[in-house]
């Protein structure tokens, strides 16, 4: 084995390699060199490569300059490190690999559990929250159905309107200048508007229901600080005409009186709430709206009321109220065949377009909410009870001496004085209280009381209008144990009913003896006149026989032709009627000496009875009776009814049936 070269000889060999190729000698027969020889051999092989690299670097410097040699050097250093076995990373220990895998597995299991918890365990809850965030529930506003009379004249309808708000802090001009511009449009003084502007800096509501044309004029002013919010407002084009029947809605569009209240479900169109999706910024996505969500029907609520007759009735009533300076009055026209009301008026009334300006007492229709003692207008019903029970006959007679005592109580006629012997018809003609007491005395008190209950006294009238009040009747024990109670009830005192119930009871005389349900709703009709809904009315309830009803009707005819109802005569027509003048009961007990309620009930016509007309006037001033105050009202209403319904004259007119009476001794 050859000895290794000294270090000097190795470095000399490297220096020689830069100038010439090294000569490698392999001794023959030696198959393997020692480690040192192999190391020197590797160094000898690297030397030419290094020399070549230096030559290339020199050429690069000559071409590109010395600035870029740093990059080459860096590259060479990196290359050297990459080929240096000592610079290679050593393999990680096994325990570190195990730890890493454990961490990864635990993290994966935790992630899987969290996904299971969110997707499965809490999935329904999170899904519900997501739907709440991504969807919005809307109930599209749909106008209320219109209300029309029987001839399709509009009584109530929704219209676009605007609420006007003022924000003075946004005014670019003075408050006085803004008030001056708004004053003629709002119908308010400049001073009032300025006071409102000075109350607060924002959110002042000036008007609640401005019409579109007014809102357009306000927009044209181009005044900063004014805000118009659109909405629907209920319009009552007939104003006071049918307020007692139609009623009104409040600011929330909820009915508060009349059919607006009682028929709320019919007037509100059935549009269900819908859920719509929305984008991330809250915008509604209309593509997801259900098909037909905004489709509405053209149905309208039709009433039995005739606006022409309603107007004539109101005019006749207001005239007499003004003439006699009365407190109030009411008038009713009812079709006795089915109970449909053609007119119902209460005075004073109100304009439902501006209901907030009126006393709340006016919102109730006192024709069906307030009780009063009917007086002599109830006498024909007592006669019908006596005839139906067989206690009297149409030919029965009684002596009227002007005074009768019952259990020590004196009962007189309204005008005093006796009338002698009277038939049943004559008792009604002159409205004899004494004669009526004798008629009712033919009945047992218990039987009479049972008939009053059968007529509906003590109960409320079934009707489709709100706030109906039950009539008042004393207890059976009190009524039957005190003889004075049946006696006073014979001429309409001691119990109380509503004007509407009086019309219903007389309807039984007009239609052959049946009690019908007074109503104003005819049904839901479309624009083509086709009916889509009709109210279900209670079946007429038989009370009197047709014979009894016709007998009493003919007796009532003599009241108009010969008795106290002569002021209700209409030439050529057979009118049946009955006057009433009752003292008003005091709240403290007893009766008022001055306050009276005058009334008249008429039936048109006797040969073909169909229409019942009632007029009641509360506390007229002066020397007043039902014949002078209420009877002319009924006559005027019937004349309008004849013209509107084109009712032909009777086959036998009043002028052909004997002399006129001079008026009764009392009413």
């Amino acid at each position: 084995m050859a000895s290794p070269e000294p270090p000097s000889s190795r470095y000399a060999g490297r220096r020689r390699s830069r100038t010439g190729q090294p000569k490698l000698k392999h001794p023959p027969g030696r198959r393997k060199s020692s480690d040192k020889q192999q190391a020197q051999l590797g160094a000898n092989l690297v030397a030419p490569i290094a020399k070549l690299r230096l030559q290339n670097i020199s050429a690069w410097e000559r071409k590109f300059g010395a600035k870029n040699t740093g990059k080459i050097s860096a590259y060479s250093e990196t290359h050297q490190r990459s080929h240096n076995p000592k610079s290679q990373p050593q393999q990680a220990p096994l325990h570190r690999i195990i730890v890493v895998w454990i961490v990864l597995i635990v993290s994966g299991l935790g992630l899987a559990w969290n996904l299971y918890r969110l997707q499965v365990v809490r999935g329904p809850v999170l899904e519900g929250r997501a739907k709440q965030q991504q969807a919005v529930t809307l109930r599209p506003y749909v106008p209320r159905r219109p209300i029309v009379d029987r001839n399709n004249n509009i009584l109530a309808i929704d219209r676009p309107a605007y609420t006007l708000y003022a924000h003075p802090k946004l005014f670019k001009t003075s408050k006085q200048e803004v008030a001056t511009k708004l004053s003629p449009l709002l119908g308010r003084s400049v001073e009032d508007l300025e006071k409102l502007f000075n109350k607060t800096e924002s959110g002042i509501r000036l008007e609640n229901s401005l019409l579109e044309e007014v809102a357009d004029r306000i927009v044209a002013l181009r005044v900063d600080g004014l805000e118009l919010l659109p909405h629907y407002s209920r319009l009552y084009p007939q104003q006071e005409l049918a307020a007692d029947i139609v009623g009104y809605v409040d600011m929330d569009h909820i009915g508060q009186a009349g059919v607006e209240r009682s028929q709320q479900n019919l007037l509100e169109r059935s549009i269900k709430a819908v859920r719509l999706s929305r984008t991330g910024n809250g915008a509604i996505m209309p593509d997801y709206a259900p098909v037909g969500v905004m489709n509405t029907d053209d149905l309208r609520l039709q009433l039995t009321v005739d606006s022409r007759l309603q107007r004539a009735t109101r005019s006749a009533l207001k005239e007499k109220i003004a003439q006699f300076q009365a407190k109030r009055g009411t008038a009713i026209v009812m079709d006795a065949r089915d109970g449909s009301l053609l007119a119902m008026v209460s005075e004073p009334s109100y304009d439902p377009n501006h209901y907030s300006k009126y006393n709340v007492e006016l919102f109730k229709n006192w024709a069906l909410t307030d009780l009063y003692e009917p007086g002599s207008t109830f006498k024909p019903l007592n006669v019908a009870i006596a005839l139906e029970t067989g206690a009297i006959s149409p030919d029965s007679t009684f002596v009227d001496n002007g005074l009768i005592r019952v259990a020590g109580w004196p009962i007189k006629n309204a005008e005093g004085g006796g009338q002698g012997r009277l038939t049943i018809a004559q008792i009604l003609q002159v409205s004899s209280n004494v004669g009526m007491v004798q008629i009712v005395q033919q009945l047992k008190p218990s039987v009479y009381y049972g008939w009053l209950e059968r007529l509906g006294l003590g109960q409320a009238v079934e009707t489709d209008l709100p706030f109906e009040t039950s009539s008042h009747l004393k207890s059976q024990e009190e009524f039957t144990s005190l003889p004075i109670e049946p006696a006073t009830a014979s001429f309409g005192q001691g119990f109380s009913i509503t004007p509407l119930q009086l019309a219903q009871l007389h309807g039984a005389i007009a239609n052959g003896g049946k009690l019908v349900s007074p109503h104003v709703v005819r049904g839901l009709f479309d624009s083509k006149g086709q009916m889509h809904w009709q109210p279900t009315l209670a079946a007429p309830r038989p009370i009197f026989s047709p014979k009894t009803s016709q007998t009493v009707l003919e007796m009532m005819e003599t009241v108009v032709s010969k008795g106290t109802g002569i002021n209700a005569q209409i030439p050529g027509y057979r009118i049946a009627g009955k006057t009433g003048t009752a003292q008003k009961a005091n709240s403290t007990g007893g009766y008022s000496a001055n306050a009276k309620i005058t009334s008249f009930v008429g039936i048109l016509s006797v040969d073909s009875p169909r229409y019942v007309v009632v007029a009641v006037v509360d506390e007229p001033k002066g020397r007043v009776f039902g014949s002078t105050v209420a009877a002319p009202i009924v006559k005027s209403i019937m004349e309008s009814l004849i013209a509107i319904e084109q009712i032909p004259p009777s086959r036998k007119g009043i002028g052909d049936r004997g002399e006129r009476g001079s008026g009764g001794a009392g009413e």
Side-chain angles (χ1 to χ4, degrees):
M1 179 179 295
S3 61
E5 292 183 355
S8 60
S9 64
R10 290 197 302 268
Y11 290 115
R14 292 181 180 177
R15 288 192 298 270
R16 287 193 301 270
S17 65
R18 297 175 182 172
T19 58
Q21 294 291 335
K23 296 181 180 180
L24 300 179
K25 296 181 180 181
H26 300 278
R30 182 172 297 179
R31 300 186 317 186
K32 185 175 181 181
S33 301
S34 64
D35 294 338
K36 292 184 179 181
Q37 289 175 337
Q38 289 179 358
Q40 184 172 353
L41 178 60
N44 292 335
L45 289 174
V46 172
I49 298 174
K51 181 179 179 182
L52 179 60
R53 184 169 64 250
L54 292 174
Q55 292 175 355
N56 291 337
I57 292 174
S58 299
W60 185 277
E61 290 177 351
R62 289 192 301 271
K63 186 175 182 179
F64 297 103
K67 294 186 295 182
N68 297 321
T69 57
K71 298 180 180 179
I72 304 294
S73 300
Y75 169 78
S76 63
E77 292 175 2
T78 304
H79 185 72
Q80 289 177 4
R81 287 195 300 268
S82 65
H83 288 76
N84 188 356
K86 294 182 179 181
S87 64
Q88 294 290 336
Q90 297 181 355
Q91 185 176 5
L94 181 61
H95 69 276
R96 293 184 181 179
I97 296 176
I98 294 175
V99 171
V100 171
W101 274 104
I102 291 175
V103 172
L104 292 176
I105 292 173
V106 171
S107 300
L109 291 175
L111 180 61
W113 164 250
N114 195 38
L115 289 174
Y116 174 80
R117 183 176 62 87
L118 294 176
Q119 295 290 337
V120 179
V121 178
R122 300 191 62 198
V125 176
L126 297 177
E127 183 181 4
R129 291 182 181 178
K131 288 182 178 180
Q132 290 179 355
Q133 296 174 358
Q134 299 169 2
V136 60
T137 301
L138 296 178
R139 188 180 188 277
Y141 178 80
V142 180
R144 286 168 72 91
R145 291 189 174 104
I147 301 175
V148 299
D149 73 352
R150 66 173 183 168
N151 297 314
N152 288 320
N153 295 311
I154 298 293
L155 300 177
I157 192 171
D158 274 13
R159 61 172 177 178
Y162 296 84
T163 300
L164 175 62
Y165 286 92
H167 308 284
K169 66 180 181 180
L170 301 178
F171 289 170
K172 297 297 180 62
T173 58
S174 66
K175 296 178 181 178
Q176 182 180 8
E177 185 175 348
V178 175
T180 302
K181 292 181 179 180
L182 290 177
S183 177
L185 298 179
L186 302 182
R188 306 175 70 169
S189 66
V190 177
E191 293 76 13
D192 289 343
L193 292 175
E194 282 191 86
K195 289 180 180 178
L196 291 175
F197 294 158
N198 292 327
K199 285 185 176 181
T200 182
E201 289 296 317
S202 181
I204 302 173
R205 188 170 67 185
L206 301 180
E207 289 291 341
N208 183 54
S209 297
L210 289 176
L211 299 179
E212 279 189 297
E213 51 267 26
V214 178
D216 292 340
R217 294 174 65 183
I218 292 176
V219 172
L221 295 177
R222 299 185 179 278
V223 175
D224 293 329
L226 298 180
E227 181 183 15
L228 288 166
L229 298 181
H231 62 90
Y232 275 98
S233 175
R234 198 67 162 168
L235 173 65
Y236 303 93
Q238 307 293 346
Q239 299 177 336
E240 296 182 1
L241 180 63
D244 307 296
I245 298 173
V246 176
Y248 71 97
V249 297
D250 60 12
M251 295 180 61
D252 296 325
H253 241 49
I254 304 299
Q256 299 298 316
V259 296
E260 290 278 26
R261 178 184 177 93
S262 63
Q263 309 302 319
Q264 174 81 10
N265 294 335
L266 290 177
L267 293 171
E268 279 191 339
R269 291 184 169 95
S270 57
I271 300 297
K272 297 182 179 179
V274 295
R275 291 182 64 86
L276 301 178
S277 300
R278 58 183 178 184
T279 61
N281 62 0
I284 301 298
M285 300 171 62
D287 293 343
Y288 292 89
V291 177
V293 65
M294 293 303 295
N295 293 345
T296 59
D297 57 66
D298 64 343
L299 300 182
R300 56 189 65 186
L301 185 66
Q302 189 176 68
L303 305 183
T304 60
V305 177
D306 191 309
S307 294
R308 299 167 298 175
L309 185 61
Q310 181 83 0
R311 186 172 290 105
T313 302
R314 182 173 295 278
S315 176
L317 182 63
K318 290 179 68 175
E319 179 184 351
K320 290 301 178 182
I321 289 177
Q323 178 181 346
F324 292 96
Q325 301 177 355
K327 178 181 178 181
R328 59 181 181 174
T330 185
I332 301 169
V333 181
M334 186 185 78
D335 190 333
R337 297 179 307 174
D338 58 4
S340 57
L341 299 174
L342 278 63
M344 175 182 281
V345 175
S346 293
E347 279 293 330
S349 188
Y350 66 98
D351 184 354
N353 295 300
H354 308 286
Y355 64 89
S356 60
K357 299 179 180 179
Y358 293 85
N359 190 320
V360 68
E361 291 293 326
L362 297 177
F363 300 155
K364 63 178 183 178
N365 185 348
W366 76 275
L368 56 108
T369 62
D370 289 8
L371 301 176
Y372 82 108
E373 294 186 353
S376 296
T377 55
F378 200 81
K379 289 176 179 177
L381 297 165
N382 283 328
V383 170
I385 292 173
L387 289 172
E388 192 71 20
T389 59
I392 62 171
S393 66
D395 299 330
S396 298
T397 60
F398 296 91
V399 177
D400 178 6
N401 294 321
L403 174 67
I404 187 172
R405 292 186 178 274
V406 178
W409 294 88
I411 296 177
K412 301 179 181 180
N413 295 323
E415 289 297 301
Q419 298 292 322
R421 183 166 293 278
L422 299 173
T423 64
I424 305 300
Q426 290 173 334
I427 289 175
L428 293 178
Q429 289 175 28
V430 300
S431 196
S432 170
N433 291 342
V434 174
M436 285 304 307
V437 171
Q438 296 179 72
I439 290 176
V440 169
Q441 285 179 338
Q442 307 305 309
L443 295 165
K444 291 183 178 180
S446 59
V447 174
Y448 181 39
Y449 187 87
W451 270 93
L452 294 179
E453 285 187 319
R454 188 176 178 185
L455 291 178
L457 270 64
Q459 306 171 20
V461 177
E462 292 186 11
T463 181
D464 48 17
L465 289 168
F467 312 128
E468 66 276 9
T469 302
S470 298
S471 54
H472 180 264
L473 179 65
K474 295 180 180 180
S475 67
Q476 184 173 5
E477 181 181 0
E478 182 180 5
F479 190 89
T480 57
S481 61
L482 298 176
I484 191 62
E485 295 298 337
T488 55
S490 68
F491 50 88
Q493 290 188 352
F495 63 92
S496 54
I497 61 176
T498 63
L500 182 62
Q501 191 167 20
L502 181 67
Q504 179 196 37
L505 293 175
H506 279 275
I509 295 177
N511 63 20
K514 299 177 182 179
L515 279 181
V516 294
S517 299
H519 63 279
V520 296
V521 176
R522 185 165 178 253
L524 285 175
F525 292 79
D526 59 24
S527 57
K528 298 180 180 179
Q530 183 177 357
M531 179 181 290
H532 290 255
W533 175 86
Q534 187 176 17
T536 302
L537 302 176
R541 184 162 56 93
I543 297 294
F544 306 123
S545 66
K547 180 180 179 181
T548 297
S549 300
Q550 184 64 28
T551 300
V552 175
L553 184 66
E554 293 175 354
M555 291 180 179
M556 292 175 65
E557 182 184 13
T558 66
V559 174
V560 176
S561 63
K562 303 176 182 180
T564 57
I566 58 175
N567 288 330
Q569 291 180 358
I570 299 177
Y573 291 87
R574 300 177 62 186
I575 309 297
K578 184 67 187 78
T579 55
T581 306
Q583 292 176 299
K584 287 193 68 174
N586 290 324
S587 58
T588 58
Y591 292 90
S592 171
N594 300 319
K596 297 179 179 179
I597 292 184
T598 61
S599 57
F600 185 84
V601 55
I603 298 175
L604 178 70
S605 63
V606 175
D607 51 354
S608 181
R610 178 175 177 182
Y611 300 103
V612 177
V613 183
V614 173
V616 181
V617 179
D618 189 10
E619 294 188 19
K621 302 297 188 295
R623 185 175 173 80
V624 292
F625 299 97
S627 59
T628 57
V629 178
I633 297 174
V634 172
K635 175 184 178 180
S636 179
I637 295 172
M638 285 186 173
E639 288 175 338
S640 300
L641 183 61
I642 290 171
I644 292 172
E645 295 295 319
Q646 299 182 356
I647 301 173
S650 300
R651 291 186 295 272
K652 184 178 181 182
I654 289 179
D656 301 328
R657 292 195 328 275
E659 58 182 313
R660 289 169 48 170
S662 58
E667 297 183 41

